[in-house]
């Protein structure tokens, strides 16, 4: 790049030496000091010196323990909320003459000043990363401290705006990528653990693809990434995908199917901000354009809620009555035994496939499927395609779904219409094979 | 860069072919169609397909004439404002139990849905640039159509958040910069016109500096840029700065002073969003760090309001009485004559210097100086240093300020304290020489 | 780029302070000093300190006037030629036992030490550029000083090896290219002068292409570049190509033909090292791959030797007899008149087209065509396609070839076979139309 | 980078389809075919089609087994040597009229055409890498096939010219470097094995530095790299350097000494081309400039020839008589025992330190030190500074030098003068402590 970029970091020194005197605050307690500094920051709004003060506040914040952070968030709630008098007046104005102008003034008055405070903190070097971390802290305590929800709402509101899809870039991640970024894939992978650098390298070989969304304010840190295997036919086993030997460096890869086998969000502080649907869409389009021969797009997905659902149901009277003794016994053995005992596996397989298909198609949370992964892909317009018996033999796979995996197929011709059918009527588009599986209870053992 | 970036543009084709059917709308009039498409876009919120629909809306918008655009903005005001019922309910809730939660809910209800609409439009390829242009259109008609102010308020609110200082990068612009960007300097320069490429090249020679702020969503388009001359001593003539011969390519530049002689905002659609103070601060710090020998930072600035002020005042009874006939006659000649007639120039100079110093120090708009450039630099912490007689001999310089220019000095040791003095008490920090000039009326001619 | 590159320039300071004492030489005359420094440099071979000494020698060389440079080259010839004794011994060894080993030893002994000297000078910062300039100096005086040929042969030998095609990169040059490089196009364009930046910008619009070869040691300096117009049909007028309005920024360009209308070598010091044939081949392949719709590749070329040839021939008895009086008169008027007088132009046109076709097909220098541009393109495998009457109305075009231009077509299917036919039998592949033109003398006027 | 680079690879397709017919050769045996293709390549010299043919030859060469490669090299020696007749004539010319011109003609005639052949092969995509590999093949068989030396001489001659220091770039390698390049460090490290990615990451932490030389034709492949530890004081143990915990990410590193603890050549095919001295010099200068506080530069080096030398000497009568029985017994135990037995270690230490100092200072190969690492650093101008008892406790360290390591100090003030003293008089610059160690035989045990 022919232009040199001067980092904000470099600037701090300069600003600091010039401006130090201005920001010295007499308070002795950090908490009080933080409060004063935040008020000062709002006063400075629009001045170049906000950068230094924002930097100081974030430095001081970084020294807080969890209990102090809760105090800090409470202060943000109480001291940096909307001004009651101003809000009251704006309400009166609006009520006496409702219309776009008074509504706009009311919206202004209702916006908590802490939103502006967050915007000002963002001017500090690495301010965006610091705010994301601050929200991570907040989310960690939010369940126990629901009174902090208004603060979370305000940060989330800003992050939603800043991490707008229009500001993200899709980048391919491969073996040419700096080690500094690759290292983060290992740390962030949430679905199928990356077991060190050789495992990572295999996942980045020339029959694999990895893409992530990045935001300009976090150039070295992916927001989300997806891992794809280019294979022949619809993959039915995650172990085959992960452990197959990579092709030679110059070997032509002959594949007709792209298998999305892992998708991981990276930033807990961005929880609630959706990237996955955009990512799948865009990667699908990229692959269709760039990799000749790829004509099918599918996931190889976990069914994380299946086992928990089944065990709960079996504990009910209805569930208890639904299985024969032989079936209940095989099930009680647990899937770890099925792995080694082909006889047992074959015996229980038809029942498990039926139960799982039934779970995916008929168990609901409200009007939507009970399984969270199913909700995600069906909403995106995918089709429930195929169940894979013992597709995930890992401890986690057995624990969550008795080792079953499912393929959601993204058919570019029908994805928009599937999506519409889902969001309008919660219709689950499904292959006939899977529908049959769900419909017919196999003979009792 | 080892990562390949897939542009959004490439993606549109893919999305389009898959999704076209979904968005076809039966309306015949573009305006009605736009309204329906915008409502559909809000419905789709969170779906990957928003990108395509947003793109379509912006394409359709781009075909509107000014009158149609006004209709479009009115539709945004009327159809995408806050929901009255929901807002009414939120007001009731808040009034019956005021507190952070009900205030937050009220803020949510008061936010006009068009804000979300703008956020969704931003997901389109080049969406950010399109929204900036949309605001430019809006500002162009706002004075005549003040009823559109609530719409402008909402776009501005978003742009303020998105163009937060934390997302900007400072880049040096020089002769290594792509022609595509340099071309824009020529177009955007607002203070001292750049007269073609040779003039531009001279302004980018090794005794000059140019820096701009860029936003990642507009990588080839500066938001603002400043031009600096590295010289010996405080420059007193803009023509000398612009027309002096450049040093040889490998000549060592011996300079002790950085003269900020031009600062131009580039995006009309970002009007109201302040970058200049940050830019001056950061460039000052960069130069202090990177260019050995530079110990003084000063502007060479126009006084755009001086002549207009003076002529208005002279038309009053007080003004008429203030000058002798000889003085009034010289003044009536106009500055174009002074350029060639040293006798006249010397005769009128003391009076003009006094009147201009008086203007800068004593003429106010509210509590602040009447001159807009003075307001900007004084608020930033600069010191009014020196008046320069016939410092700008251009037609524009003569027309605006009888050719006078002024230096505002940025002294890094006192800039923070000057700034505080200004924002707290509107104190104008000023050299003693300039203060004397203002204080003492020269002998009448 | 994630790696930081430390420039050699930065290193000089370090080396210098440490090593200065070593290289101080007592000689008073620069020439003698240069001789001693060069001998010292050969002694140092392989030591890190060669970089500093090489830098010093080049600095000192840069201060020489032309007469001194000639002395310097003579010193290189006399003092840094092959060692006579060693060479004599190697000859004896070879003669007494001829074979690969003694031949290799003889080749070693015969290589002039100045070759190694040039290799050592190349280690200096910007050493390659300095050596190219040194050869430019040498070529400038070589005709008058043929005794310097052995020195030129040695530099050329090295440059041929260093500027091997395998080390060059082809880069597209467009409006995104740094101004620093674009500026050089204006300076180097040798065929159709670039008249400032607006002209340059038009030549880089989206219906034009420009490509250059670059060498890593001269990253900002093209070695050669070619300019291409994407048009409909075979272009017949260079003025139309240069002066047509560019398409709008986002206008789709519908073109079926790529016209190579200018190709310029940039470095005189690389004279004798051929890049043009590689460049045309590679650009043709790039365009065929990247620009859909382009199916024809052709030049629009000058015929620089035509008028000179014709005038010489007309001065012979044969030539004098070949034209009628009327024809001779029209010709004597000169082409500048034909531009404005359609009658005269139409009258003379058939004759001129015939004479020019005859020139291109039948006038030889040895076995090859007499016209240098024809030799270049025909050797590359192009086909002589079409003559264009008044295709170049510029002063230069009229002066060189009465304004005629010619298209050489590069047909990718036949280019290899044409090339073979040319290099084996000097066969000139030609369209039948042009062959007819040459064959048949039009009726005398 | 604003310019797009079209790779040669892309071009092959185009050239190939157009040119295939031309190069088909009727021979059935690959060897004969290769011979014909090489002759054809020399014929084509200067034509664009050489790229394709060169590519084909290298493809075919890549399929050869070792025995076939030897045949191929013999063909290069016999069929592509200097033309005897032409050489004979050039000798006659030179002898009848010796002078620069006839010497130059003789040099031309003596150059084997295989040099030009190699230059033409270099035009193929990745040609340079292929030629380096070809030379690696050749070197592997050269000892057994000394008749191939003239071929090796010609490749080496070219590589020396192409890998001229002036064409290399120094790049820092760190954790931001693409994994693709880092992987090669692990493969190439020749001194202290890198035990996987975590070990590599520790060597690239912020108290370490790694630099390599790169050539533009091999942008992803270092030619040589050096590893440096920034520490306090002169390091005395390689295990301490390798195994110490890295500092925290943002910890300030306080170091006064740069320890060069490993330097590895990467390309066997570039054997005989020296990079190490340039690299040390340039890295020293870079660190002195960029890392404040670093005032001392030293190696921590192996003494690879010490043990072999000592054992040989002890087998002589003189050696046998030089040690007491107790000493001989301790020595016979071997250093592995000393590691665990402090008593034995302390007993033998004075003798071993003396013998090693004596080895470094007094054992010669010709006029230079017998130890190859000593020759390298002393020739570069370093000073023999200190012996470190059990500085390398690895199996390799014990095997080569009884675990002793040595520091060579690069003192920037004296390095040039040390170098001169060495190359002129083979003077070994040495600390007085080490000189005393060598001078005085400790009391016999």
């Amino acid at each position: 790049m022919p232009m040199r970029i001067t980092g904000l970091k470099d600037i701090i020194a300069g600003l600091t030496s010039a401006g130090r005197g201005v920001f010295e605050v007499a308070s002795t307690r950090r908490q009080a000091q933080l409060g004063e500094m935040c008020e000062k920051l709002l006063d400075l709004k629009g001045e170049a010196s906000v950068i230094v003060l924002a930097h100081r506040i974030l430095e001081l914040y970084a020294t807080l323990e969890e209990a102090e952070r809760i105090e800090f968030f409470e202060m943000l709630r109480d001291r940096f909320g909307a001004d009651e008098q101003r809000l009251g007046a704006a309400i009166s104005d609006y009520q006496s003459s409702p219309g776009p102008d008074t509504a706009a003034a009311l919206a202004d008055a209702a916006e908590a000043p802490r939103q502006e405070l967050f915007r000002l903190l963002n001017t500090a070097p690495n301010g965006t990363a610091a705010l994301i971390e601050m929200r991570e802290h907040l989310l960690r305590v939010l369940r126990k401290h629901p009174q902090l929800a208004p603060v979370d709402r305000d940060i989330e509101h800003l992050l939603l705006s800043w991490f707008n899809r229009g500001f993200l870039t899709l980048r391919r991640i491969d073996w040419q990528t700096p080690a500094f970024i690759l290292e983060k894939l290992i740390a962030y992978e949430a679905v199928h653990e990356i077991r060190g650098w050789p495992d990572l390298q295999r996942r980045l070989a020339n029959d694999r693809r990895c893409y992530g969304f990045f935001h300009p304010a976090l150039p070295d840190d992916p927001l989300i990434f997806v891992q794809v295997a280019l294979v022949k036919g619809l993959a039915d086993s995650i172990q085959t995908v992960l452990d197959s030997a990579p092709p030679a460096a110059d070997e032509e890869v002959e594949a007709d199917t792209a298998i999305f086998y892992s998708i991981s969000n990276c930033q807990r502080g961005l929880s609630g901000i959706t990237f996955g649907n955009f990512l799948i869409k865009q990667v699908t389009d990229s692959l269709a354009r760039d990799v000749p021969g790829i004509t099918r797009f599918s996931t190889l997905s976990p069914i994380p809620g299946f086992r928990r659902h089944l065990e709960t149901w079996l504990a009910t009277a209805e569930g208890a009555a639904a299985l024969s003794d032989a079936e209940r016994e095989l099930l009680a053995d647990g899937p770890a035994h099925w792995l080694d005992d082909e006889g047992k596996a074959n015996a229980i397989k038809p029942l498990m496939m039926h139960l799982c298909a039934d779970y995916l198609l008929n168990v609901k949370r409200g009007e939507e499927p009970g399984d969270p992964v199913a909700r995600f892909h069906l909403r995106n317009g995918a089709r429930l395609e195929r169940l894979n018996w013992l597709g995930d033999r890992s401890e986690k796979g057995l624990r969550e779904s008795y080792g079953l995996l499912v393929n959601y197929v993204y058919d570019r011709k029908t994805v928009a219409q599937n999506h519409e059918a889902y969001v309008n009527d919660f219709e689950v588009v499904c292959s006939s094979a899977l529908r049959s599986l769900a419909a017919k209870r196999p003979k009792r053992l």
Side-chain angles (χ1 to χ4, degrees), chain A residues 189-245:
Chain A
E189 163 70 41
V191 186
H192 303 293
E193 188 201 357
I194 301 178
R195 296 148 295 177
W197 287 83
D199 186 11
L200 176 63
Q201 185 169 12
R202 198 275 161 269
R203 297 189 188 199
L204 302 176
N206 55 351
D207 62 343
R208 296 291 183 265
R209 289 293 182 278
C210 180
Y211 291 89
F213 272 142
F214 289 76
H215 187 275
L218 303 168
D220 294 327
D221 234 346
L223 307 181
I224 188 173
F225 63 94
V226 63
Q227 296 174 65
V228 185
L230 306 181
V231 297
K232 283 215 123 178
L234 211 54
D236 59 5
S237 156
I238 186 66
Q239 275 73 38
T240 305
V241 166
L242 295 180
D243 299 336
S244 65

Side-chain angles (χ1 to χ4, degrees), chain A residues 238-265:
Chain A
I238 186 66
Q239 275 73 38
T240 305
V241 166
L242 295 180
D243 299 336
S244 65
D250 52 354
E251 193 180 328
E252 207 60 45
V253 175
E254 281 186 25
D256 55 13
T257 305
I259 299 290
F260 293 66
Y261 67 90
S262 176
I263 183 164
S264 298
N265 280 292

Side-chain angles (χ1 to χ4, degrees), chain A residues 134-315:
Chain A
M134 190 184 282
R135 181 157 182 251
E136 192 179 330
H137 295 156
L138 178 49
L139 289 174
R140 219 180 277 158
V141 300
L142 190 55
R143 189 177 298 222
K144 280 206 184 160
H145 298 272
Q147 79 280 12
L148 301 177
V151 181
D152 179 53
R153 171 201 166 274
D154 282 323
I155 305 197
E156 187 189 16
H157 189 266
L158 273 178
L159 293 176
L160 270 165
S161 187
W162 288 342
F163 286 82
N164 186 289
R165 173 64 195 86
F167 299 131
L168 307 187
T169 49
L170 180 73
R171 296 196 215 157
R172 175 149 177 216
I173 297 171
D174 58 20
W175 200 237
Q176 300 278 355
T177 301
F180 192 62
I181 292 177
L182 293 184
E183 178 181 42
K184 289 177 184 161
L185 297 199
I186 300 180
Y188 290 144
E189 163 70 41
V191 186
H192 303 293
E193 188 201 357
I194 301 178
R195 296 148 295 177
W197 287 83
D199 186 11
L200 176 63
Q201 185 169 12
R202 198 275 161 269
R203 297 189 188 199
L204 302 176
N206 55 351
D207 62 343
R208 296 291 183 265
R209 289 293 182 278
C210 180
Y211 291 89
F213 272 142
F214 289 76
H215 187 275
L218 303 168
D220 294 327
D221 234 346
L223 307 181
I224 188 173
F225 63 94
V226 63
Q227 296 174 65
V228 185
L230 306 181
V231 297
K232 283 215 123 178
L234 211 54
D236 59 5
S237 156
I238 186 66
Q239 275 73 38
T240 305
V241 166
L242 295 180
D243 299 336
S244 65
D250 52 354
E251 193 180 328
E252 207 60 45
V253 175
E254 281 186 25
D256 55 13
T257 305
I259 299 290
F260 293 66
Y261 67 90
S262 176
I263 183 164
S264 298
N265 280 292
C266 305
Q267 311 292 335
R268 285 192 203 160
L270 294 178
S271 164
I273 304 173
T274 313
F275 304 117
N277 47 357
F278 286 111
L279 184 60
I280 288 178
K281 189 94 177 130
Q282 195 161 344
V283 169
T284 301
D285 293 333
S286 289
L287 291 172
R289 197 180 53 237
D290 298 342
V291 188
I294 297 293
T295 56
R296 189 163 38 174
F297 300 88
S298 172
T299 72
L300 183 61
S301 297
I303 312 160
F306 174 43
R307 184 160 180 176
R308 201 173 39 230
H309 158 77
L310 191 62
E311 291 181 348
T312 307
W313 177 69
L314 289 173

Side-chain angles (χ1 to χ4, degrees), chain A residues 91-120:
Chain A
I91 290 174
S92 298
D93 286 355
Y94 174 73
Q95 287 174 326
S96 66
S97 141
D101 288 294
T102 50
L106 176 53
D108 268 346
E111 189 187 292
R114 62 186 158 257
Q115 273 212 33
E116 182 62 24
L117 188 62
F118 293 136
R119 279 191 285 262
L120 292 169

